[in-house]
Amino acid sequence: MIKKIFSLCLGLLVLTGCVNRDEIYANPPQELIDGVEQLMPAASEFVHEAQQEALENGIPLTEAQIVVAKEMGVQHPEKVRVYYVDKLPAPTDPELLGVAKSVGYTNPNMAGYTYGYGVWIQHRYKTQRDLLPHEFVHVKQAEELGLTEQTRQYLLQMYVYGYFNAPMEIEAREATAHF
């Protein structure tokens, strides 16, 4: 059911071509709002569990990383933990996973994800200079909105803009361009 709703919304975006995505994001159709709300229990559970796992298994930031985190706007860098892994987490809920795949969120080339204060980084991207600063912008976003609301807005952005053009992703790329 959720997949049908999102497919319909995505189809409308594609069919309308030069649609103002900012207007749609500012005033999303009720079907899209309902679809996001139906996904929220699974999405919220996923991001909170991923945050918790990173907090339990990750490492605190170094002094140099704390300086960068503050530069990116993080208010409480001492709470951040970086969890280096071979594989990034993916939702286990089939509908949420389907949505994540359809908008380009989960793919094998993703370098890192951030869930609240938990930053997940693939080992093979550990030395990528702009990656941690990029993820720190997402930490800042979670601090500003709260993890649940950030998740809600992120889902909505994924559907309206897609992963690459989502405002939260653009903000992170622009803030870290100098790295």
Side-chain angles (χ1 to χ4, degrees):
M1 175 65 172
I2 293 172
K3 220 172 195 175
K4 287 180 184 177
I5 291 170
F6 282 124
S7 294
L8 174 64
C9 290
L10 194 57
L12 288 173
L13 289 174
V14 170
L15 287 175
T16 56
C18 295
V19 65
N20 184 336
R21 293 177 191 275
D22 294 334
E23 179 62 29
I24 292 171
Y25 181 63
N27 300 294
Q30 190 61 47
E31 295 85 5
L32 183 55
I33 293 169
D34 293 345
V36 167
E37 288 307 313
Q38 287 177 5
L39 280 175
M40 276 307 294
S44 184
E45 180 180 352
F46 171 68
V47 299
H48 283 89
E49 286 177 0
Q51 175 184 239
Q52 190 59 39
E53 185 173 344
L55 293 177
E56 290 171 2
N57 299 303
I59 57 175
L61 301 181
T62 65
E63 288 301 317
Q65 290 168 335
I66 287 174
V67 169
V68 173
K70 287 181 179 179
E71 181 184 337
M72 295 297 103
V74 175
Q75 296 297 307
H76 299 285
E78 71 282 357
K79 294 181 178 181
V80 176
R81 296 295 180 271
V82 182
Y83 188 29
Y84 294 100
V85 296
D86 292 326
K87 186 178 177 189
L88 296 173
T92 55
D93 178 83
E95 286 185 304
L96 186 59
L97 180 60
V99 169
K101 286 180 178 180
S102 72
V103 297
Y105 179 75
T106 58
N107 73 60
N109 297 319
M110 294 299 264
Y113 292 142
T114 295
Y115 306 102
Y117 289 109
V119 177
W120 292 67
I121 304 289
Q122 284 203 60
H123 286 291
R124 64 186 168 138
Y125 294 105
K126 193 173 187 175
T127 59
Q128 187 175 318
R129 249 186 114 206
D130 63 337
L131 182 55
L132 269 178
H134 177 102
E135 299 305 328
F136 292 155
V137 174
H138 293 310
V139 172
K140 174 194 73 102
Q141 293 165 344
E143 284 182 326
E144 292 173 349
L145 295 172
L147 184 53
T148 300
E149 185 57 27
Q150 180 198 29
T151 302
R152 180 179 285 107
Q153 293 304 313
Y154 200 80
L155 277 171
L156 191 55
Q157 288 180 16
M158 291 296 107
Y159 262 98
V160 174
Y161 299 95
Y163 172 76
F164 188 78
N165 294 312
M168 287 183 190
E169 290 301 329
I170 291 172
E171 177 187 1
R173 282 195 310 276
E174 288 176 353
T176 60
H178 64 285
F179 285 94

